[in-house]
Amino acid sequence: METTLVLIKPGGVERNLIGEITRRIEARNLQIVGMKLFAADRARVEEHYSEHRERPFFKDVCDYLTSGPIVAIAVRGTNAVKAIRTMMGATNPLEATPGTIRGDFALTIDDNLTHSSSDAEAAERELSIWFPEGLAK
Ligand code: CMP
């Protein structure tokens, strides 16, 4: 069993895709074990994206994540990290396969609807940032 993090970014919340994304997660037989809708504070977003601190898009992605409410979801299941990454599709939606969230609903890398943890180590780190109180189950 693995537990991983999904963030629905402000564009996904704005476009009423919370239901579609959580429906697909549950349909895949993955369990939602934590979920909340909230306005993210800048410090937490910067910590979340700390590996990208030197990248040219760091400021823009942090501005974007703090531009409106987001949803943080903790997802548990067998091979959950890889299963979720595959379900979300390539970071650049133009390279994402149809049938994935990005391949079906997104067009640009700046508004690629979701973030998901890249590996088990990142998942543990990111879950502790967004669910410091622990998970619901
Ligand atoms: P995400 O998986 O949340 O991780 C970092 C985010 O930065 C990424 O999705 C994109 O939304 C955004 N981003 C913008 N430009 C790039 C880029 N050239 N490479 C990777 N991520 C980028």
Side-chain angles (χ1 to χ4, degrees), residues 7 9 48-49 51-52 55-58 60-62 64-65 85 91-92 102 108-117:
L7 296 179
K9 300 181 182 182
H48 171 81
Y49 281 129
E51 67 179 299
H52 297 307
R55 308 283 290 275
F57 57 83
F58 179 72
D60 285 349
V61 76
C62 292
Y64 180 52
L65 264 283
R85 290 281 286 189
T91 303
N92 184 347
R102 291 167 178 153
T108 67
I109 197 165
D110 295 323
D111 192 9
N112 62 358
L113 299 176
T114 61
H115 165 86
S116 53
S117 307

PDB file of all heavy atoms in Angstrom, residues 7 9 48-49 51-52 55-58 60-62 64-65 85 91-92 102 108-117, ligand 1:
ATOM      1  N   LEU A   7      -2.971  17.449  -5.709  1.00  0.00           N
ATOM      2  CA  LEU A   7      -3.522  18.796  -5.519  1.00  0.00           C
ATOM      3  C   LEU A   7      -4.344  19.127  -6.758  1.00  0.00           C
ATOM      4  O   LEU A   7      -3.857  18.977  -7.883  1.00  0.00           O
ATOM      5  CB  LEU A   7      -2.411  19.849  -5.385  1.00  0.00           C
ATOM      6  CG  LEU A   7      -1.467  19.748  -4.190  1.00  0.00           C
ATOM      7  CD1 LEU A   7      -0.422  20.876  -4.267  1.00  0.00           C
ATOM      8  CD2 LEU A   7      -2.211  19.816  -2.863  1.00  0.00           C
ATOM      9  N   LYS A   9      -5.457  22.160  -8.661  1.00  0.00           N
ATOM     10  CA  LYS A   9      -5.007  23.558  -8.694  1.00  0.00           C
ATOM     11  C   LYS A   9      -6.205  24.500  -8.881  1.00  0.00           C
ATOM     12  O   LYS A   9      -7.307  24.060  -9.216  1.00  0.00           O
ATOM     13  CB  LYS A   9      -3.975  23.729  -9.816  1.00  0.00           C
ATOM     14  CG  LYS A   9      -2.742  22.834  -9.601  1.00  0.00           C
ATOM     15  CD  LYS A   9      -1.726  23.032 -10.706  1.00  0.00           C
ATOM     16  CE  LYS A   9      -0.536  22.095 -10.483  1.00  0.00           C
ATOM     17  NZ  LYS A   9       0.518  22.279 -11.498  1.00  0.00           N
ATOM     18  N   HIS A  48       6.389  23.319  -0.774  1.00  0.00           N
ATOM     19  CA  HIS A  48       5.949  22.207  -1.629  1.00  0.00           C
ATOM     20  C   HIS A  48       6.775  22.136  -2.921  1.00  0.00           C
ATOM     21  O   HIS A  48       7.179  21.057  -3.352  1.00  0.00           O
ATOM     22  CB  HIS A  48       4.465  22.402  -1.961  1.00  0.00           C
ATOM     23  CG  HIS A  48       3.925  21.465  -2.985  1.00  0.00           C
ATOM     24  ND1 HIS A  48       3.536  20.176  -2.686  1.00  0.00           N
ATOM     25  CD2 HIS A  48       3.731  21.613  -4.321  1.00  0.00           C
ATOM     26  CE1 HIS A  48       3.119  19.585  -3.790  1.00  0.00           C
ATOM     27  NE2 HIS A  48       3.215  20.429  -4.801  1.00  0.00           N
ATOM     28  N   TYR A  49       7.009  23.303  -3.548  1.00  0.00           N
ATOM     29  CA  TYR A  49       7.743  23.348  -4.816  1.00  0.00           C
ATOM     30  C   TYR A  49       9.225  23.661  -4.615  1.00  0.00           C
ATOM     31  O   TYR A  49       9.872  24.129  -5.555  1.00  0.00           O
ATOM     32  CB  TYR A  49       7.110  24.388  -5.748  1.00  0.00           C
ATOM     33  CG  TYR A  49       5.845  23.907  -6.443  1.00  0.00           C
ATOM     34  CD1 TYR A  49       4.683  24.671  -6.408  1.00  0.00           C
ATOM     35  CD2 TYR A  49       5.827  22.712  -7.146  1.00  0.00           C
ATOM     36  CE1 TYR A  49       3.526  24.238  -7.047  1.00  0.00           C
ATOM     37  CE2 TYR A  49       4.671  22.273  -7.788  1.00  0.00           C
ATOM     38  CZ  TYR A  49       3.530  23.035  -7.737  1.00  0.00           C
ATOM     39  OH  TYR A  49       2.387  22.601  -8.379  1.00  0.00           O
ATOM     40  N   GLU A  51      11.925  22.033  -4.649  1.00  0.00           N
ATOM     41  CA  GLU A  51      12.882  21.435  -5.599  1.00  0.00           C
ATOM     42  C   GLU A  51      12.970  22.261  -6.896  1.00  0.00           C
ATOM     43  O   GLU A  51      13.912  22.126  -7.670  1.00  0.00           O
ATOM     44  CB  GLU A  51      12.501  19.989  -5.934  1.00  0.00           C
ATOM     45  CG  GLU A  51      11.217  19.886  -6.710  1.00  0.00           C
ATOM     46  CD  GLU A  51      10.826  18.455  -7.082  1.00  0.00           C
ATOM     47  OE1 GLU A  51      11.597  17.811  -7.797  1.00  0.00           O
ATOM     48  OE2 GLU A  51       9.746  18.015  -6.660  1.00  0.00           O
ATOM     49  N   HIS A  52      11.953  23.109  -7.137  1.00  0.00           N
ATOM     50  CA  HIS A  52      11.935  23.935  -8.355  1.00  0.00           C
ATOM     51  C   HIS A  52      12.368  25.380  -8.086  1.00  0.00           C
ATOM     52  O   HIS A  52      12.217  26.235  -8.957  1.00  0.00           O
ATOM     53  CB  HIS A  52      10.518  23.970  -8.959  1.00  0.00           C
ATOM     54  CG  HIS A  52      10.003  22.634  -9.409  1.00  0.00           C
ATOM     55  ND1 HIS A  52      10.697  21.815 -10.262  1.00  0.00           N
ATOM     56  CD2 HIS A  52       8.852  21.973  -9.119  1.00  0.00           C
ATOM     57  CE1 HIS A  52       9.996  20.704 -10.478  1.00  0.00           C
ATOM     58  NE2 HIS A  52       8.889  20.783  -9.788  1.00  0.00           N
ATOM     59  N   ARG A  55      14.180  27.175 -10.730  1.00  0.00           N
ATOM     60  CA  ARG A  55      13.635  27.091 -12.099  1.00  0.00           C
ATOM     61  C   ARG A  55      12.931  28.399 -12.464  1.00  0.00           C
ATOM     62  O   ARG A  55      12.356  29.075 -11.607  1.00  0.00           O
ATOM     63  CB  ARG A  55      12.649  25.921 -12.237  1.00  0.00           C
ATOM     64  CG  ARG A  55      13.187  24.582 -11.767  1.00  0.00           C
ATOM     65  CD  ARG A  55      14.143  23.944 -12.752  1.00  0.00           C
ATOM     66  NE  ARG A  55      13.465  23.487 -13.965  1.00  0.00           N
ATOM     67  CZ  ARG A  55      12.857  22.315 -14.086  1.00  0.00           C
ATOM     68  NH1 ARG A  55      12.839  21.467 -13.072  1.00  0.00           N
ATOM     69  NH2 ARG A  55      12.285  21.965 -15.220  1.00  0.00           N
ATOM     70  N   PRO A  56      12.928  28.760 -13.771  1.00  0.00           N
ATOM     71  CA  PRO A  56      12.333  30.041 -14.182  1.00  0.00           C
ATOM     72  C   PRO A  56      10.837  30.146 -13.898  1.00  0.00           C
ATOM     73  O   PRO A  56      10.314  31.249 -13.754  1.00  0.00           O
ATOM     74  CB  PRO A  56      12.606  30.107 -15.692  1.00  0.00           C
ATOM     75  CG  PRO A  56      13.083  28.768 -16.095  1.00  0.00           C
ATOM     76  CD  PRO A  56      13.589  28.057 -14.881  1.00  0.00           C
ATOM     77  N   PHE A  57      10.147  28.992 -13.792  1.00  0.00           N
ATOM     78  CA  PHE A  57       8.694  29.028 -13.592  1.00  0.00           C
ATOM     79  C   PHE A  57       8.291  29.023 -12.122  1.00  0.00           C
ATOM     80  O   PHE A  57       7.096  29.029 -11.817  1.00  0.00           O
ATOM     81  CB  PHE A  57       8.032  27.857 -14.326  1.00  0.00           C
ATOM     82  CG  PHE A  57       8.539  26.492 -13.926  1.00  0.00           C
ATOM     83  CD1 PHE A  57       8.037  25.851 -12.810  1.00  0.00           C
ATOM     84  CD2 PHE A  57       9.518  25.855 -14.674  1.00  0.00           C
ATOM     85  CE1 PHE A  57       8.498  24.599 -12.439  1.00  0.00           C
ATOM     86  CE2 PHE A  57       9.982  24.593 -14.315  1.00  0.00           C
ATOM     87  CZ  PHE A  57       9.466  23.970 -13.189  1.00  0.00           C
ATOM     88  N   PHE A  58       9.300  29.024 -11.212  1.00  0.00           N
ATOM     89  CA  PHE A  58       8.975  28.888  -9.782  1.00  0.00           C
ATOM     90  C   PHE A  58       8.014  29.969  -9.283  1.00  0.00           C
ATOM     91  O   PHE A  58       6.988  29.673  -8.655  1.00  0.00           O
ATOM     92  CB  PHE A  58      10.266  28.901  -8.951  1.00  0.00           C
ATOM     93  CG  PHE A  58      10.034  28.795  -7.465  1.00  0.00           C
ATOM     94  CD1 PHE A  58       9.623  27.599  -6.897  1.00  0.00           C
ATOM     95  CD2 PHE A  58      10.220  29.889  -6.640  1.00  0.00           C
ATOM     96  CE1 PHE A  58       9.402  27.488  -5.523  1.00  0.00           C
ATOM     97  CE2 PHE A  58      10.002  29.794  -5.272  1.00  0.00           C
ATOM     98  CZ  PHE A  58       9.591  28.596  -4.724  1.00  0.00           C
ATOM     99  N   ASP A  60       5.959  31.933 -10.972  1.00  0.00           N
ATOM    100  CA  ASP A  60       4.641  31.842 -11.625  1.00  0.00           C
ATOM    101  C   ASP A  60       3.801  30.704 -11.048  1.00  0.00           C
ATOM    102  O   ASP A  60       2.604  30.867 -10.817  1.00  0.00           O
ATOM    103  CB  ASP A  60       4.799  31.630 -13.139  1.00  0.00           C
ATOM    104  CG  ASP A  60       5.221  32.917 -13.841  1.00  0.00           C
ATOM    105  OD1 ASP A  60       5.172  33.976 -13.200  1.00  0.00           O
ATOM    106  OD2 ASP A  60       5.597  32.836 -15.025  1.00  0.00           O
ATOM    107  N   VAL A  61       4.441  29.560 -10.808  1.00  0.00           N
ATOM    108  CA  VAL A  61       3.655  28.432 -10.307  1.00  0.00           C
ATOM    109  C   VAL A  61       3.196  28.706  -8.865  1.00  0.00           C
ATOM    110  O   VAL A  61       2.068  28.354  -8.480  1.00  0.00           O
ATOM    111  CB  VAL A  61       4.398  27.079 -10.473  1.00  0.00           C
ATOM    112  CG1 VAL A  61       5.484  26.878  -9.458  1.00  0.00           C
ATOM    113  CG2 VAL A  61       3.415  25.924 -10.408  1.00  0.00           C
ATOM    114  N   CYS A  62       4.042  29.386  -8.096  1.00  0.00           N
ATOM    115  CA  CYS A  62       3.640  29.744  -6.717  1.00  0.00           C
ATOM    116  C   CYS A  62       2.539  30.808  -6.737  1.00  0.00           C
ATOM    117  O   CYS A  62       1.586  30.737  -5.950  1.00  0.00           O
ATOM    118  CB  CYS A  62       4.841  30.220  -5.904  1.00  0.00           C
ATOM    119  SG  CYS A  62       6.023  28.896  -5.570  1.00  0.00           S
ATOM    120  N   TYR A  64       0.358  31.166  -9.048  1.00  0.00           N
ATOM    121  CA  TYR A  64      -0.838  30.471  -9.514  1.00  0.00           C
ATOM    122  C   TYR A  64      -1.503  29.660  -8.396  1.00  0.00           C
ATOM    123  O   TYR A  64      -2.723  29.722  -8.194  1.00  0.00           O
ATOM    124  CB  TYR A  64      -0.483  29.579 -10.700  1.00  0.00           C
ATOM    125  CG  TYR A  64      -1.657  28.819 -11.237  1.00  0.00           C
ATOM    126  CD1 TYR A  64      -2.837  29.481 -11.570  1.00  0.00           C
ATOM    127  CD2 TYR A  64      -1.614  27.440 -11.389  1.00  0.00           C
ATOM    128  CE1 TYR A  64      -3.941  28.782 -12.035  1.00  0.00           C
ATOM    129  CE2 TYR A  64      -2.700  26.742 -11.851  1.00  0.00           C
ATOM    130  CZ  TYR A  64      -3.865  27.414 -12.168  1.00  0.00           C
ATOM    131  OH  TYR A  64      -4.956  26.714 -12.622  1.00  0.00           O
ATOM    132  N   LEU A  65      -0.692  28.909  -7.667  1.00  0.00           N
ATOM    133  CA  LEU A  65      -1.257  28.054  -6.602  1.00  0.00           C
ATOM    134  C   LEU A  65      -1.885  28.860  -5.463  1.00  0.00           C
ATOM    135  O   LEU A  65      -2.688  28.332  -4.699  1.00  0.00           O
ATOM    136  CB  LEU A  65      -0.167  27.118  -6.048  1.00  0.00           C
ATOM    137  CG  LEU A  65      -0.076  25.701  -6.626  1.00  0.00           C
ATOM    138  CD1 LEU A  65      -1.158  24.783  -6.078  1.00  0.00           C
ATOM    139  CD2 LEU A  65      -0.100  25.675  -8.140  1.00  0.00           C
ATOM    140  N   ARG A  85      -0.016   9.125 -11.000  1.00  0.00           N
ATOM    141  CA  ARG A  85       0.779   9.859 -11.995  1.00  0.00           C
ATOM    142  C   ARG A  85       0.307   9.532 -13.407  1.00  0.00           C
ATOM    143  O   ARG A  85       0.163  10.400 -14.258  1.00  0.00           O
ATOM    144  CB  ARG A  85       2.271   9.516 -11.872  1.00  0.00           C
ATOM    145  CG  ARG A  85       2.926  10.038 -10.638  1.00  0.00           C
ATOM    146  CD  ARG A  85       3.273  11.498 -10.739  1.00  0.00           C
ATOM    147  NE  ARG A  85       4.412  11.751 -11.587  1.00  0.00           N
ATOM    148  CZ  ARG A  85       4.995  12.937 -11.690  1.00  0.00           C
ATOM    149  NH1 ARG A  85       4.533  13.975 -11.010  1.00  0.00           N
ATOM    150  NH2 ARG A  85       6.034  13.105 -12.486  1.00  0.00           N
ATOM    151  N   THR A  91       3.087  16.058 -17.606  1.00  0.00           N
ATOM    152  CA  THR A  91       3.036  17.418 -17.035  1.00  0.00           C
ATOM    153  C   THR A  91       2.574  18.430 -18.075  1.00  0.00           C
ATOM    154  O   THR A  91       1.774  19.313 -17.784  1.00  0.00           O
ATOM    155  CB  THR A  91       4.431  17.807 -16.495  1.00  0.00           C
ATOM    156  OG1 THR A  91       4.832  16.823 -15.533  1.00  0.00           O
ATOM    157  CG2 THR A  91       4.406  19.172 -15.834  1.00  0.00           C
ATOM    158  N   ASN A  92       3.105  18.300 -19.296  1.00  0.00           N
ATOM    159  CA  ASN A  92       2.659  19.158 -20.389  1.00  0.00           C
ATOM    160  C   ASN A  92       1.416  18.535 -21.035  1.00  0.00           C
ATOM    161  O   ASN A  92       1.512  17.481 -21.679  1.00  0.00           O
ATOM    162  CB  ASN A  92       3.767  19.307 -21.430  1.00  0.00           C
ATOM    163  CG  ASN A  92       3.362  20.264 -22.537  1.00  0.00           C
ATOM    164  OD1 ASN A  92       2.186  20.632 -22.664  1.00  0.00           O
ATOM    165  ND2 ASN A  92       4.322  20.676 -23.336  1.00  0.00           N
ATOM    166  N   ARG A 102      -5.203  15.299 -17.700  1.00  0.00           N
ATOM    167  CA  ARG A 102      -4.660  16.419 -18.508  1.00  0.00           C
ATOM    168  C   ARG A 102      -4.959  16.236 -19.989  1.00  0.00           C
ATOM    169  O   ARG A 102      -5.231  17.203 -20.699  1.00  0.00           O
ATOM    170  CB  ARG A 102      -3.165  16.568 -18.251  1.00  0.00           C
ATOM    171  CG  ARG A 102      -2.873  17.076 -16.835  1.00  0.00           C
ATOM    172  CD  ARG A 102      -1.421  16.920 -16.503  1.00  0.00           C
ATOM    173  NE  ARG A 102      -1.096  17.436 -15.182  1.00  0.00           N
ATOM    174  CZ  ARG A 102      -0.083  16.997 -14.444  1.00  0.00           C
ATOM    175  NH1 ARG A 102       0.686  16.022 -14.897  1.00  0.00           N
ATOM    176  NH2 ARG A 102       0.161  17.526 -13.263  1.00  0.00           N
ATOM    177  N   THR A 108      -2.528  23.709 -21.353  1.00  0.00           N
ATOM    178  CA  THR A 108      -1.242  24.388 -21.137  1.00  0.00           C
ATOM    179  C   THR A 108      -0.559  23.900 -19.864  1.00  0.00           C
ATOM    180  O   THR A 108      -1.230  23.522 -18.893  1.00  0.00           O
ATOM    181  CB  THR A 108      -1.424  25.919 -21.027  1.00  0.00           C
ATOM    182  OG1 THR A 108      -2.144  26.202 -19.819  1.00  0.00           O
ATOM    183  CG2 THR A 108      -2.167  26.483 -22.226  1.00  0.00           C
ATOM    184  N   ILE A 109       0.779  23.941 -19.878  1.00  0.00           N
ATOM    185  CA  ILE A 109       1.568  23.449 -18.736  1.00  0.00           C
ATOM    186  C   ILE A 109       1.343  24.321 -17.498  1.00  0.00           C
ATOM    187  O   ILE A 109       1.407  23.842 -16.367  1.00  0.00           O
ATOM    188  CB  ILE A 109       3.060  23.351 -19.113  1.00  0.00           C
ATOM    189  CG1 ILE A 109       3.814  22.467 -18.109  1.00  0.00           C
ATOM    190  CG2 ILE A 109       3.696  24.720 -19.239  1.00  0.00           C
ATOM    191  CD1 ILE A 109       5.182  22.031 -18.583  1.00  0.00           C
ATOM    192  N   ASP A 110       1.043  25.606 -17.713  1.00  0.00           N
ATOM    193  CA  ASP A 110       0.824  26.497 -16.569  1.00  0.00           C
ATOM    194  C   ASP A 110      -0.516  26.229 -15.899  1.00  0.00           C
ATOM    195  O   ASP A 110      -0.722  26.583 -14.745  1.00  0.00           O
ATOM    196  CB  ASP A 110       0.881  27.968 -17.018  1.00  0.00           C
ATOM    197  CG  ASP A 110       2.263  28.330 -17.500  1.00  0.00           C
ATOM    198  OD1 ASP A 110       3.237  27.828 -16.906  1.00  0.00           O
ATOM    199  OD2 ASP A 110       2.367  29.104 -18.464  1.00  0.00           O
ATOM    200  N   ASP A 111      -1.428  25.650 -16.623  1.00  0.00           N
ATOM    201  CA  ASP A 111      -2.748  25.347 -16.070  1.00  0.00           C
ATOM    202  C   ASP A 111      -3.053  23.876 -16.324  1.00  0.00           C
ATOM    203  O   ASP A 111      -4.003  23.530 -17.022  1.00  0.00           O
ATOM    204  CB  ASP A 111      -3.805  26.256 -16.729  1.00  0.00           C
ATOM    205  CG  ASP A 111      -5.135  26.205 -15.992  1.00  0.00           C
ATOM    206  OD1 ASP A 111      -5.187  25.619 -14.885  1.00  0.00           O
ATOM    207  OD2 ASP A 111      -6.125  26.723 -16.523  1.00  0.00           O
ATOM    208  N   ASN A 112      -2.203  23.032 -15.725  1.00  0.00           N
ATOM    209  CA  ASN A 112      -2.322  21.587 -15.989  1.00  0.00           C
ATOM    210  C   ASN A 112      -3.173  20.871 -14.943  1.00  0.00           C
ATOM    211  O   ASN A 112      -3.084  19.663 -14.774  1.00  0.00           O
ATOM    212  CB  ASN A 112      -0.932  20.946 -16.150  1.00  0.00           C
ATOM    213  CG  ASN A 112      -0.081  21.066 -14.912  1.00  0.00           C
ATOM    214  OD1 ASN A 112      -0.492  21.663 -13.915  1.00  0.00           O
ATOM    215  ND2 ASN A 112       1.114  20.502 -14.960  1.00  0.00           N
ATOM    216  N   LEU A 113      -3.986  21.626 -14.235  1.00  0.00           N
ATOM    217  CA  LEU A 113      -5.094  21.168 -13.374  1.00  0.00           C
ATOM    218  C   LEU A 113      -4.700  20.492 -12.075  1.00  0.00           C
ATOM    219  O   LEU A 113      -5.354  20.710 -11.048  1.00  0.00           O
ATOM    220  CB  LEU A 113      -6.054  20.250 -14.137  1.00  0.00           C
ATOM    221  CG  LEU A 113      -6.744  20.887 -15.347  1.00  0.00           C
ATOM    222  CD1 LEU A 113      -7.590  19.836 -16.068  1.00  0.00           C
ATOM    223  CD2 LEU A 113      -7.606  22.064 -14.929  1.00  0.00           C
ATOM    224  N   THR A 114      -3.703  19.625 -12.117  1.00  0.00           N
ATOM    225  CA  THR A 114      -3.373  18.886 -10.894  1.00  0.00           C
ATOM    226  C   THR A 114      -1.864  18.811 -10.687  1.00  0.00           C
ATOM    227  O   THR A 114      -1.080  18.979 -11.620  1.00  0.00           O
ATOM    228  CB  THR A 114      -3.889  17.421 -10.964  1.00  0.00           C
ATOM    229  OG1 THR A 114      -3.258  16.769 -12.061  1.00  0.00           O
ATOM    230  CG2 THR A 114      -5.401  17.362 -11.095  1.00  0.00           C
ATOM    231  N   HIS A 115      -1.496  18.545  -9.443  1.00  0.00           N
ATOM    232  CA  HIS A 115      -0.139  18.130  -9.115  1.00  0.00           C
ATOM    233  C   HIS A 115      -0.267  16.745  -8.490  1.00  0.00           C
ATOM    234  O   HIS A 115      -1.222  16.498  -7.752  1.00  0.00           O
ATOM    235  CB  HIS A 115       0.497  19.089  -8.103  1.00  0.00           C
ATOM    236  CG  HIS A 115       1.734  18.507  -7.484  1.00  0.00           C
ATOM    237  ND1 HIS A 115       2.974  18.618  -8.073  1.00  0.00           N
ATOM    238  CD2 HIS A 115       1.899  17.751  -6.379  1.00  0.00           C
ATOM    239  CE1 HIS A 115       3.847  17.956  -7.328  1.00  0.00           C
ATOM    240  NE2 HIS A 115       3.225  17.426  -6.294  1.00  0.00           N
ATOM    241  N   SER A 116       0.685  15.865  -8.754  1.00  0.00           N
ATOM    242  CA  SER A 116       0.720  14.607  -7.995  1.00  0.00           C
ATOM    243  C   SER A 116       2.170  14.260  -7.687  1.00  0.00           C
ATOM    244  O   SER A 116       3.083  14.601  -8.443  1.00  0.00           O
ATOM    245  CB  SER A 116       0.025  13.478  -8.757  1.00  0.00           C
ATOM    246  OG  SER A 116       0.545  13.359 -10.054  1.00  0.00           O
ATOM    247  N   SER A 117       2.369  13.583  -6.566  1.00  0.00           N
ATOM    248  CA  SER A 117       3.726  13.274  -6.092  1.00  0.00           C
ATOM    249  C   SER A 117       4.456  12.395  -7.093  1.00  0.00           C
ATOM    250  O   SER A 117       3.873  11.453  -7.651  1.00  0.00           O
ATOM    251  CB  SER A 117       3.664  12.555  -4.747  1.00  0.00           C
ATOM    252  OG  SER A 117       2.886  13.276  -3.820  1.00  0.00           O
TER     253      SER A 117
HETATM  254  P1  CMP B   1       3.456  20.285 -11.221  1.00  0.00           P
HETATM  255  O1  CMP B   1       3.371  18.820 -11.375  1.00  0.00           O
HETATM  256  O2  CMP B   1       2.557  20.922 -10.212  1.00  0.00           O
HETATM  257  O3  CMP B   1       4.975  20.661 -10.838  1.00  0.00           O
HETATM  258  C1  CMP B   1       5.518  21.928 -11.105  1.00  0.00           C
HETATM  259  C2  CMP B   1       4.623  22.765 -11.957  1.00  0.00           C
HETATM  260  O4  CMP B   1       5.226  23.889 -12.585  1.00  0.00           O
HETATM  261  C3  CMP B   1       4.119  21.911 -13.097  1.00  0.00           C
HETATM  262  O5  CMP B   1       3.178  20.969 -12.614  1.00  0.00           O
HETATM  263  C4  CMP B   1       3.602  22.946 -14.073  1.00  0.00           C
HETATM  264  O6  CMP B   1       2.269  23.343 -13.786  1.00  0.00           O
HETATM  265  C5  CMP B   1       4.519  24.153 -13.798  1.00  0.00           C
HETATM  266  N1  CMP B   1       5.489  24.368 -14.895  1.00  0.00           N
HETATM  267  C6  CMP B   1       5.544  25.449 -15.685  1.00  0.00           C
HETATM  268  N2  CMP B   1       6.541  25.343 -16.580  1.00  0.00           N
HETATM  269  C7  CMP B   1       7.129  24.143 -16.365  1.00  0.00           C
HETATM  270  C8  CMP B   1       8.203  23.434 -16.969  1.00  0.00           C
HETATM  271  N3  CMP B   1       8.908  23.947 -17.995  1.00  0.00           N
HETATM  272  N4  CMP B   1       8.533  22.203 -16.488  1.00  0.00           N
HETATM  273  C9  CMP B   1       7.851  21.662 -15.448  1.00  0.00           C
HETATM  274  N5  CMP B   1       6.815  22.285 -14.827  1.00  0.00           N
HETATM  275  C10 CMP B   1       6.450  23.514 -15.287  1.00  0.00           C
END
